[in-house]
Amino acid sequence: LAFPSGASAEKRVALLIGAQAYSEGSLVHPVEDANKVRDALVAVGFEAPPVLVDPGKRDLEQALKKFGADARGADVAVFYFAGHGIEYDGSNWLVPVGADLTYDESTRVEGVRLDDVVNMMKGAKFRIAFFDACRNNPFTRKWGRTRSASTRPEIDATNMPLGTLVAFSAASS
């Protein structure tokens, strides 16, 4: 991450999430990765943002609501999610810990759309969203498939506000 370090008066906000304690498809490094991102942000002038560990849907929604309010008037807003992510119905979804994805359509109720996360950041001048997601969908067995429907991580840039960067560290499954 390279932000100008001389602008200490800038308002910089971040929401960092490490989700790894899934009942299906537990992950090993998301919390560690989120802490490394926090350290990198501090090195470029952010106040140390806390890392939200293993949030359920309600905790994630509350954190996003607060983050959206904090982003209003901010110069830079950074969102980082490490955990399970899936593509469903043409959108990228963050999977909260404890999500009950019994069938693929339940993603709309149990997951959080990445586009909605980016929209929560609209109040900032510059927005960066990192989607560091394991996309080997562990729920496909419940859905009667052996593989995720995802072909590759994509986002519709035409709907993103100017000044938005979305970065994926995710492979298709």
Side-chain angles (χ1 to χ4, degrees), residues 59-162:
D59 292 337
L60 182 55
E61 289 173 335
Q62 290 299 315
L64 285 168
K65 184 178 176 181
K66 182 184 180 318
F67 179 57
D70 290 347
R72 298 188 70 74
D75 294 290
V76 180
V78 174
F79 174 81
Y80 175 82
F81 176 84
H84 275 298
I86 60 175
E87 185 275 341
Y88 170 70
D89 200 23
S91 293
N92 289 284
W93 296 80
L94 288 64
V95 180
V97 170
D100 180 15
L101 298 181
T102 306
Y103 52 96
D104 53 352
E105 292 86 2
S106 59
T107 302
R108 293 190 180 280
V109 176
E110 298 284 332
V112 174
R113 260 180 9 119
L114 181 59
D115 291 351
D116 294 336
V117 171
V118 173
N119 284 328
M120 292 299 292
M121 302 166 66
K122 277 187 177 178
K125 292 178 188 170
F126 186 65
R127 296 154 301 280
I128 303 171
F130 294 99
F131 191 50
D132 185 2
C134 177
R135 292 174 66 95
N136 63 337
N137 186 344
F139 305 100
T140 53
R141 283 174 285 157
K142 286 184 177 181
W143 299 356
R145 297 186 205 140
T146 58
R147 214 166 167 228
S148 170
S150 173
T151 54
R152 64 180 179 201
E154 291 184 8
I155 197 160
D156 182 2
T158 59
N159 293 325
M160 294 295 114
L162 188 62

Side-chain angles (χ1 to χ4, degrees), residues 7-94:
S8 61
E10 284 186 346
K11 180 180 177 188
R12 299 172 179 190
V13 299
L15 175 57
L16 312 176
I17 298 166
Q20 62 189 34
Y22 295 94
S23 59
E24 293 187 44
S26 183
L27 301 172
V28 178
H29 299 288
V31 174
E32 177 184 338
D33 293 345
N35 282 316
K36 287 179 181 178
V37 170
R38 182 195 61 221
D39 294 345
L41 291 175
V42 168
V44 296
F46 280 72
E47 289 188 32
V51 172
L52 183 59
V53 176
D54 294 331
K57 172 84 184 256
R58 186 173 194 169
D59 292 337
L60 182 55
E61 289 173 335
Q62 290 299 315
L64 285 168
K65 184 178 176 181
K66 182 184 180 318
F67 179 57
D70 290 347
R72 298 188 70 74
D75 294 290
V76 180
V78 174
F79 174 81
Y80 175 82
F81 176 84
H84 275 298
I86 60 175
E87 185 275 341
Y88 170 70
D89 200 23
S91 293
N92 289 284
W93 296 80
L94 288 64

